[in-house]
Amino acid sequence: MEPQPRIGVYICHCGVNISAMVDVEQVAEFAATLPSVAVARDYLYMCSDPGQALIRQDIEEHRLNRVVVASCSPRMHEPTFRGAAQQAGLNPYLVEMANIREQCSWVHSDREKATEKAKLLVASAVAKAALLEPLEEREVEVTPGVVVIGGGIAGMVAALDVADAGFPVYLVEKSDHLGGRVADLNRVFPTLEPVTDLLEPLIERVRSHPNVTVFLNAQVAGVEGYVGNFEVAVSGFRVSGSRLNELETSNLKPETHRLNIGSIIVATGYDVFDPHRKPEYGYGQYPNVITSLEMERRLAEGNLAVDGRTPQSVAFIQCVGSRDAQVGNLYCSRVCCMYTAKQAQLVQELLPEARVTVFFIDVRTFGKGGEEFYDEARAKGVRYRRGNISEIIRRGDRVVLLAEDTLLRQPIEFEADLVVLAVGMEPRSDTAALSSLLKLPRSSDGFFLEAHPKLRPVDTAVDGVFLAGCCQGPKDIPDTIAQAKAAASSALIPLIRGAVQVEAATAVVDVEECAGCGTCVEVCPYGAPALDPYLNVSVVNAVLCKGCGACASACPSKAIHLQRFTPEQILAQVDALVE
Amino acid sequence: MNNDAFEPKIVAFLCNWCTYTGADLAGTSRIQYPPNVRIIRLMCSGAVDPTYVLKPLLDGADGVLIGGCHPGDCHYQSGNYKARRRIIALKEILKSAGYDEERVWLRWISASEGQRFAETVTKMTEFLKEKGPNPMRQKWAV
C-alpha cells in the first residue's frame, strides 16, 4: 500500500519577477492549508543552490514524498527540480510544477487577481501531485551526425567543429556556393584584413574534410523525429571534394536525400534591408546613391567614380532599415557603425582630397577594438555629424541631403557626389517556412528565438535544434563564430553521450478493463500498442510510445491511460481550478 | 447579475509543444491578458477526453479552451486532427442536448504565437462576459 502523500510546496519569488505581481507569502500560507501538504515555503530563487538544498532538506526532515514548485515554466526548470528531488532519494517524477511566472506574474497587471490565480494554479498542481506515481527513466541511442542548415561563415565553422570531433556533418546550402553573405564583403573591421584571407581557407577545409558532406542548391524539405534521432529530408545536389566546383557545369538533377542524424544547427543568416523601402533616399533613382554592399564591391575594385567623375564629397547614412519604426525594425543591426567606419577610412585613403562625412543617430562601436577603430577613422579625416537624413534630392550631377543636425539643432543641406546607405540586417524571407518546418519560435523582430535571452542563447525551444549566427539576430563575424562554436559543442553533447533520455511517461494498459477492441492500435501513429493474440488485450511497447495520450482519450473502456496525465490527475486539477 | 462585475472562469487544456509554449512566449514577451484563464498542461490536444471538457462546464467553469498545434504541425503527427473531430462531435452533442456549445473553443496556436494566445484569451474572456455566467452550472452533479 502506498504511503499517504506528504507534499512540500515551494513558491519562488524569482527575484522580483514573480513577487512583484504575486503575493508569494500569501500563496505559501494558502498552500499550507491544502490537503496532504506537509510544508509550504516561499523563497527568493528556488532554482539556486540554496533553493534546491531547501527541497532536499525538507524531503529528509519532513519525509516528503511529493514536491510542488511554483515558479517559472516547467519548460525552464523542471529538470532542475527533478534533479534536486532525485538527489534526496525521491523519484524525479514525483515533482510537479505550477507555472506562476510565464503564465501568471508576467502576463497580468492586477496584483490581487494575479495572486488569486497563482493560488489556483498551486492548488491544481498540489491536487495532481497527490496522485503522481513514480516512473522509470529510459534512454534511446543517438544517431551520430549533425545537419547544419546554411553554408555561410556560421554554418561552416559549426560544421568543422562537429567534423573535427569525429562525427559526420551534412552542410545544406541554399545557393550554389559556400561563404554566405561574408563572401560579398571586401575587407573586415577592425583589422582591415581581406575577406578572402578569412574565407578561402575555411571553404577549403570544409571542402576537403572527410567528415563533411556538402549539399548545394539545396534546402530542407522536411524534418521528423526528435533530439538524438531526427530524419531530415534535403532536396538538392550532394557534392563532395573536388566536385564542389563542377556544380554549374554538371547536369545533375536535384535529388531528395534522407539524412538520419542526432542534432540540427540552424545557421541560415539574414537578408539585407532593401532601401527601396525608404523611397525618400532615392535609391534606384539617383546613380549617386548606393548601398554599403555595393560600396564593398567598389572598394574591392578601387573604383569610386560616379558617371565617370571622381567624387569630391562622400556621405554615409547610418541606420538605414534599423532602429526605424517606420519600416518595422526597432532593433540595431550592430554592424553598420563599424563597417561604415571601415568604408569611410578606406574611402578617405583612396581619395585623400575628398570630404568624407558620416551622418549618424548614435555611434555604437562596441566590441574589441571598436572604439579605437572609430577614433582612427576620425583621425584619418572622416567627419561625423549627428543627424538623421529626412530626404535626398537631386541638384545637377550631385545630390543634396536634407537633415537636422541634432547637436546644433539646425536644419542642414549637405551636398554629396556619392551617398552610401548603411543598410541593416533583416530576418530572411524564408524564416517563416523554416520556422514551421522545425517548429522554431521567432521573436517579435522576426529572427529565430533562443530558448533564453541570457542563459540559453544558442538553444531553441526544440530539443536538439541550435542556432548560430545572424538567423538569431544581427551580429558581427566574431560573435557569429563564437555562437557557431557554441552551437557545435551543444549539438555534440547528445552525440558524444550516445544516448538521450526519452519520455518516461508512456501509456499503460489495465488488462482487467481492456476489451481488446483495438481502438488504441488504430489511433497510435507509432504502432506502440498491439493486441496480444492469446489474451486479446492491448499491450504497449514502451520504446515506441511517445507519450501523446491519443490512445487514452480514444479508449472506449478507459482501459489505457497515459502516465503523469491520467484522467484522475487531470480531473483533480479541474476540481482545484473550478472550485 | 451585473455583467461588468462578472469574471468568467476559463479552463484551458493546452498541448505541451505548441499552445503551452505559445502561452510561455506571451509571458516572456510580457503580453498582457485577463487572468480569467487557468491552464492545464497536456502533452497533446488529441489527449483531451470529452470528460475533461464536460467536467469543468458542469462544475461551474464558464468556458473551456482547447489549444493545439496548427493542422499539419502536430508533434505527434495527427493528434490535433483527432482533437478537431472529437471537439466538433462533442459540440454537436452539447447543442442537441440544449447546452451552449459556444462556451467550448478549440484554437490552433503555435509555439511562436504568444500574441495570438493572449488575443485568444482576451477575446474569449470578453465573449463569455457578454454571455454571462454558465447556466449549466450545478444543473448536474458528476
Side-chain angles (χ1 to χ4, degrees), chain B:
Chain B
M1 184 171 180
N2 180 2
N3 278 358
D4 286 342
F6 165 58
E7 289 294 345
K9 294 178 190 172
I10 303 169
V11 174
F13 296 96
L14 306 185
C15 93
N16 178 60
W17 306 97
C18 289
T19 315
Y20 191 90
T21 311
D24 277 354
L25 178 61
T28 45
S29 317
R30 310 296 199 279
I31 305 169
Q32 303 290 303
Y33 57 81
N36 303 59
V37 68
R38 299 98 197 251
I39 294 168
I40 293 178
R41 178 192 187 201
L42 296 177
M43 294 312 283
C44 180
S45 58
V48 174
D49 190 290
T51 56
Y52 299 177
V53 182
L54 292 172
K55 177 126 173 34
L57 290 176
L58 296 171
D59 282 357
D62 300 292
V64 173
L65 171 67
I66 300 111
C69 308
H70 284 274
D73 284 353
C74 177
H75 187 81
Y76 304 106
Q77 300 179 20
S78 56
N80 49 359
Y81 294 120
K82 292 173 182 130
R84 182 162 66 186
R85 287 173 60 177
R86 190 168 295 141
I87 298 303
I88 288 172
L90 180 65
K91 287 175 75 142
E92 282 301 316
I93 293 166
L94 279 173
K95 195 157 66 175
S96 62
Y99 289 104
D100 186 359
E101 92 284 1
E102 287 182 349
R103 293 179 183 273
V104 179
W105 286 28
L106 172 65
R107 293 292 182 273
W108 311 134
I109 301 168
S110 81
S112 54
E113 293 177 329
Q115 182 73 44
R116 184 174 152 88
F117 177 76
E119 280 165 9
T120 303
V121 172
T122 308
K123 272 189 210 152
M124 189 167 183
T125 307
E126 281 164 12
F127 177 81
L128 292 171
K129 275 189 178 174
E130 198 72 23
K131 268 198 177 288
N134 176 14
M136 289 161 82
R137 185 177 184 168
Q138 289 165 353
K139 269 196 179 172
W140 287 3
V142 184

Side-chain angles (χ1 to χ4, degrees), chain A residues 410-426:
Chain A
Q410 61 185 32
I412 46 174
E413 279 191 25
F414 185 91
E415 286 202 13
D417 304 295
L418 182 59
V419 179
V420 183
L421 305 178
V423 282
M425 298 182 183
E426 288 197 309

Side-chain angles (χ1 to χ4, degrees), chain A residues 189-207:
Chain A
F189 60 75
T191 55
L192 297 180
E193 201 179 342
V195 157
T196 45
D197 289 5
L198 247 103
L199 209 50
E200 280 188 359
L202 205 56
I203 294 176
E204 190 46 46
R205 278 204 65 209
V206 170
R207 193 186 300 211

Side-chain angles (χ1 to χ4, degrees), chain A residues 6 17 45 59 151 191 264 356 376 408 439 514 545-546 552:
Chain A
R6 293 181 56 79
N17 277 297
Y45 283 106
I59 289 174
T191 55
I264 297 172
V356 180
E376 244 171 81
L408 300 175
K439 303 182 178 74
C514 179
C545 177
K546 303 273 188 289

Side-chain angles (χ1 to χ4, degrees), chain A residues 209-225:
Chain A
H209 204 297
N211 287 342
V212 183
T213 308
V214 177
F215 297 87
L216 291 180
N217 284 348
Q219 48 188 331
V220 173
V223 179
E224 274 171 33

